[in-house]
Amino acid sequence: MRSSWFNKLSLIFGHRIRHNWFLLCLISILALVVIIGSSSSLREFDSIGPPRFPNVYTNYRKLKEQAVVDYFDLRFLASGNNPRQKELSLCGKEKEKENYVPCYNLSANLKAGFKDGEEFDRHCELFRNEDRCLVRPPKEYKIPLRWPAGRDVIWSGNVKITKDDFLSSGSMTKRMMLLEENQIAFHNNDGLIFDGVKDYARQLAESIGLGSDSDFLQAGVQTVLDIGCGFGSFGAHLVSLKLMPICIAAYEVTGSQVQLALERGLPAMLGNFSSRQLPYPSLSFDMVHCAQCGIDWDGKDGMFVIEVDRLLKPGGYFVLTSPTTKPQGSLLATKKGNMLTPVEDFTQRICWSLLDQQDDTLIWQKTADAHCYEARKQGLPLCQDEHESQSYYRRLVKCISGARSKRWAPIRNRSNGVQYGEFYEEREYWKSALRNYWSLLTPLIFSDHPKRPGDEDPLPPYNMVRNVMDMNAFYGGFNAALLDGKKSAWVMNVVPIGSRNTLPLILDQGFAGVLHDWCEPFPTYPRTYDMLHGSGLLSLLSSEKCGMMDLFLEMDRILRPEAWVILSDNVGAIEMARTHATQIRWEARVIDPQNGSDQRLLVCQKPFLRK
Ligand SMILES: *[C@@H]1O[C@H](CO)[C@@H](O)[C@H](O)[C@H]1NC(C)=O
Ligand SMILES: *[C@@H]1O[C@H](CO)[C@@H](O)[C@H](O)[C@H]1NC(C)=O
Ligand SMILES: *[C@@H]1O[C@H](CO)[C@@H](O)[C@H](O)[C@H]1NC(C)=O
Ligand SMILES: *[C@@H]1O[C@H](CO)[C@@H](O)[C@H](O)[C@H]1NC(C)=O
């Protein structure tokens, strides 16, 4: 196509085109065609289900996509055959830029008048991406150790942490940390130094009537929301028990719990519900855990407790560990004598029962009976306008969510997982797609290590990727395929706002997941994912108002150096993506399955850039 455009233009002018203004005009016209075209929606993946590969295309659509391709070919020409000309450069070397998380600028939030805790929340509306640049890795950055070694030892240069963070790290979940020369070691596994976490988990299990912590799964406890996870050691233990802990914590400039957990390969994201709900639907988690998580549970008339109630599944548990005795009369204070304290009063109103109280740990269980709320004296009202399926940073409420939901099912009754019937087809599709991806990645990974004659074809190391994000997760089929293929990865399954909300189904399978608007930055630190996967994401977003380049910059921010991106979409979208990928200096290859469909794969690797 490139040559035919070139030929036509050459014919008209009879010589090589030199007049930039002419090209500019032409590009503008073509760009207009593209913009008008794309705003009329390229949504192939509107409806949910296995990505479809439409063979029937209207001529109109074909033309439109051709225009996109031509447009980029022309730009390629105009840039003097130098595709690297418009490459972006690295951002400055300041520590804040190296660890840059958009939407969490406290001083900007205060300036804008946010208060009462709202200043700690995400405010993407205040965020402007002024200078487009690539977030630079710190000078001492090293590629993390592979899982599971990287769970117990990380490079101290990879995270932003100060001596003070170490000194103040006294809590149960934090203190088992030693600083070696340029490494931070977490000696909590296999009793190396400290087995406090194991004792703690066993005690929790006993409190809810189980023999040991290996019985959690049988009792229906799989997904655990760990608020303020310290440095992730409790989560690391739960992972070893095949549970799915998700750490959330507020944005922290240094010593960030979320950054440390992700660096160790443990599921985590930024989340704070001081004024808004977390981006998960109601009835999402089997357990919510807070060990010295710093939340004032008495605050805001119990709205934090109500948010926990919203997130818990029926029969789920709330665990609160706090070494300091609560002042008397506080919301969650415990029984003194025979008097009912305000907390008991309150937890009774929301139908929680105190199961156990040992040392500094209290455990409540949410009711499994949806009628409990209305039967209680002074019970809280059920929420009326419940859009529980699209709970995306809504304001905290003072009513009970989920009680009328079709998904109200006690965790103890959960038979092994969900029924696959509805998405069996998707399952099978992703199994074979994953095999294809892996065989595509194998030669790329090993291109640095050419095999010697007689060598077997090497397989990619099974632990090559650990932190994976599926940017458009459908029913979580990609996640299931990774587990099926025995890859030691966990997946952050993102359900984009505006697509059908399949998140409850994803969470019910025991996977991690979150709702997200891809026109905004993702709530995580830079360099936290080993692989981003997006099937149909680009066509889904093509009708949004947000800029593709900003999306690609954001993907670059959250990828570790040498990490992978796999995008699958239609030709037009993939061609566009390739241009962006080149601009942000990724190694990118377009792969054509060459069977007549218009689907393409884009496989990219983010290089380890120093300058
Ligand atoms: C061709 O693409 C279709 C999607 O339409 C896919 O299901 C199929 O597996 C591909 N066939 C081959 C031979 O690669
Ligand atoms: C945060 O906001 C303040 C005030 O608006 C601004 O001066 C500063 O540059 C911002 N910081 C970052 C890291 O964007
Ligand atoms: C939100 O973050 C602030 C600041 O770190 C913290 O004090 C507060 O406890 C957090 N609140 C909730 C409910 O997460
Ligand atoms: C849950 O299981 C219990 C017995 O284990 C049974 O009595 C109850 O009806 C079940 N509830 C549901 C909603 O299936």
Side-chain angles (χ1 to χ4, degrees), residues 117 120-121 227 250-252 271-275 293-296 304:
F120 300 115
D121 277 344
I227 305 172
Y251 171 74
E252 293 157 296
N272 185 284
F273 50 101
S274 45
S275 66
C293 64
I295 290 176
D296 173 20
F304 300 145

Side-chain angles (χ1 to χ4, degrees), residues 50-151:
R52 269 178 242 121
F53 298 86
N55 292 321
V56 188
Y57 265 81
T58 62
N59 281 339
Y60 170 66
R61 178 166 284 166
K62 271 227 155 90
L63 279 174
K64 206 164 63 178
E65 286 181 357
Q66 195 56 59
V68 179
V69 177
D70 292 346
Y71 165 63
F72 288 118
D73 279 348
L74 210 66
R75 274 211 348 201
F76 179 78
L77 266 187
S79 63
N81 282 3
N82 179 6
R84 299 210 162 227
Q85 196 190 40
K86 285 185 123 186
E87 275 180 357
L88 294 179
S89 50
L90 294 177
C91 306
K93 286 182 182 157
E94 301 87 343
K95 283 273 174 230
E96 311 81 69
K97 288 198 174 150
E98 288 171 351
N99 291 290
Y100 179 49
V101 183
C103 309
Y104 291 94
N105 185 335
L106 187 59
S107 58
N109 292 348
L110 287 170
K111 216 166 161 190
F114 289 108
K115 51 182 200 294
D116 302 330
E118 283 196 55
E119 67 273 24
F120 300 115
D121 277 344
R122 255 168 89 78
H123 292 289
C124 294
E125 68 275 15
L126 300 180
F127 149 77
R128 267 171 298 127
N129 197 357
E130 278 131 8
D131 42 347
R132 280 183 167 161
C133 56
L134 305 172
V135 172
R136 174 194 294 272
K139 199 161 124 259
E140 322 77 48
Y141 188 85
K142 286 189 171 61
I143 301 293
L145 305 177
R146 291 301 176 209
W147 179 267
R151 178 193 56 202

Side-chain angles (χ1 to χ4, degrees), residues 32-47:
L32 214 64
V33 170
V34 173
I35 290 162
I36 293 168
S38 63
S39 66
S40 67
S41 172
L42 280 167
R43 299 183 115 171
E44 249 73 68
F45 295 90
D46 255 345
S47 57

Side-chain angles (χ1 to χ4, degrees), residues 53 55 429 593 595 597 599:
F53 298 86
N55 292 321
Y429 168 79
N595 64 358
S597 89
Q599 293 294 301

